[in-house]
Structures are given as structure tokens and as C-alpha cells.
Amino acid sequence: MDWSVILEYWPRLLKGVWVTLELVALSCLIGALLALPLALCRLSARSWLQRPARAYIFFFRGTPLLVQIFLIYYGASQFEPLRNSPLWPLFAQPYFCAVLAFSLNTAAYTGEILRGALQSIPAGEIEACKVLGMPPSLMLRRVLLPRAFGTMLPAYGNEIILMLKGSALASTITLMDLTGVTRTVIARTYTPIELFMAAGAIYLVLTLLVLTGFRVLECHFNRYRQAG
């Protein structure tokens, strides 16, 4: 066991950690923006809105994330119009493809989490908003979304953790995240146990930080329940 290799390559591992955090943060931000219209379409009584949203969520929840990454990274090159379009320089980059795949994937899960949180709001609160004459947009912004956010925090925290662990799949398309850097260093040093244990420890620390952050947020947004 040669633990000195961890100290020697620690700066490279930290660079990989930064890429991992960038991927997860950017993907979750884009996914959250996409999740709101997805959840609202799922709740809509109009079938032309509900069915496409349901099909989107079914596809991205029903297929492996690795397959989705490969479809975007390797599959995009199969379409000649895309290769000849101004978008091709983006699709030729593994970083963009990874962010796109992660964003579309987490949007499906987050959309379903948000839909469940919105449906859990008591009907009396919605009726009270209508009695006060609130338009739907104001009711959504001032009452429904804040209430749903507090309800969905535990489930959404789990989704962030799953995205953090799933980000290791980005290394399969040559992206130098934490797992990608670890595999590269292992190929040079032949010390898989030491480096994989170091990478695992880093993932554990990141997971602990996410859990702690969401517990603080949950206590803050749900403090009225604790007071009651």
C-alpha cells in the first residue's frame, strides 16, 4: 500500500472535484428550470400538454443515465444536419454533452418530485387563494411554490446525491471529473486501491455536505411545522 501517491496527485484530484461540482451544480440548475414547466404540464387537464410531459419523464426515468449520455455524445454525430449546423461545436465537446444529459435526466426526476409536492398541498389553501382573488400566476408564485419547495426538500436532496454519484459516468466520455482523473492516475501509478479509496472518501465528504445543507434548508423552510 503506497499512500504517498495520494499526496503526490492530490492537486489533480482536487481539479477533478471542481469539474464534478461544476457538472452537478450546472446540471441541477438547468434541470430545476426545466422541472417547473414539466410539473405544471403533468398537472394540466389538457392532454396535449400532459402527454408529452409524461412521455418525456417516462423516457428519462426509464432508461439508464449512461445510455442517455452515449445517445447524446455518440448519437449526435449520426445526424448530418446537426454536424453541419452551428450547434455542432457544442455537441462535439464532452463537457456540453455531459451537462445536457445530466440536465435532461434530473429534470425528469425533479419534475415528478415537484408534481407530487404540489399535489400534496391541502385543497383548503388553494381555495383560500381563490377566495382572495389571486390569479393563478400569483397563487403559484406566492403560495404554491414556496409550500411545495419545503415539502420536496428531502426527496430533492436525495436526487442531488444521486446526481453527484451519477456524475462519475461523465468519465466514460473522456471528461476529467473526479472519477476520470482517478482512473488516469491509476493507469500511471498502478495503485487502484489507494486512489479509489481516496476518491470514495471525497464522494462521501461531498455527500455529507449536501445532506447537511439540505437539512439546514429543511429546518428553515419547515420551521412552522416544528413550531406547531
Side-chain angles (χ1 to χ4, degrees), residues 51-72:
R51 288 178 181 176
R54 182 176 294 181
Y56 174 94
I57 291 171
F58 176 76
F59 175 80
F60 281 98
R61 293 179 68 194
T63 57
L65 177 56
L66 182 61
V67 172
Q68 297 163 19
I69 294 172
F70 285 170
L71 282 174
I72 294 174

Side-chain angles (χ1 to χ4, degrees), residues 179-196:
T179 302
V181 170
T182 301
R183 292 170 59 184
T184 301
V185 175
I186 288 173
R188 295 181 179 180
T189 61
Y190 301 101
T191 53
I193 295 178
E194 295 90 333
L195 287 165
F196 275 133

Side-chain angles (χ1 to χ4, degrees), residues 19-203:
V19 174
T20 294
L21 293 177
E22 270 189 349
L23 277 174
V24 174
L26 188 56
S27 300
C28 289
L29 176 61
I30 297 173
L33 295 176
L34 295 174
L36 178 57
L38 273 174
L40 296 179
C41 288
R42 283 283 283 115
L43 292 172
S44 174
R46 299 179 176 89
S47 60
W48 61 274
L49 287 175
Q50 186 182 124
R51 288 178 181 176
R54 182 176 294 181
Y56 174 94
I57 291 171
F58 176 76
F59 175 80
F60 281 98
R61 293 179 68 194
T63 57
L65 177 56
L66 182 61
V67 172
Q68 297 163 19
I69 294 172
F70 285 170
L71 282 174
I72 294 174
Y73 184 65
Y74 296 112
S77 62
Q78 304 298 313
F79 298 96
E80 187 173 350
L82 181 59
R83 293 201 306 269
N84 297 328
S85 73
L87 294 176
W88 177 242
L90 291 176
F91 280 89
Q93 298 178 10
Y95 186 87
F96 174 82
C97 293
V99 170
L100 181 59
F102 292 159
S103 300
L104 296 177
N105 180 273
T106 192
Y109 285 93
T110 307
E112 280 295 275
I113 293 171
L114 179 56
R115 178 187 66 84
L118 288 170
Q119 286 182 322
S120 70
I121 296 175
E125 296 186 18
I126 300 175
E127 291 298 325
C129 294
K130 292 179 179 179
V131 169
L132 292 174
M134 283 189 180
S137 59
L138 181 62
M139 180 170 59
L140 184 68
R141 187 174 70 253
R142 296 290 298 274
V143 178
L144 301 185
L145 285 181
R147 289 280 282 113
F149 185 72
T151 302
M152 68 181 283
L153 275 175
Y156 188 57
N158 290 335
E159 170 59 18
I160 299 294
I161 292 172
L162 289 175
M163 282 299 300
L164 176 62
K165 294 186 292 185
S167 66
L169 295 175
S171 63
T172 60
I173 55 174
T174 71
L175 205 63
M176 288 294 101
D177 67 328
L178 175 56
T179 302
V181 170
T182 301
R183 292 170 59 184
T184 301
V185 175
I186 288 173
R188 295 181 179 180
T189 61
Y190 301 101
T191 53
I193 295 178
E194 295 90 333
L195 287 165
F196 275 133
M197 288 185 67
I202 293 173
Y203 279 115

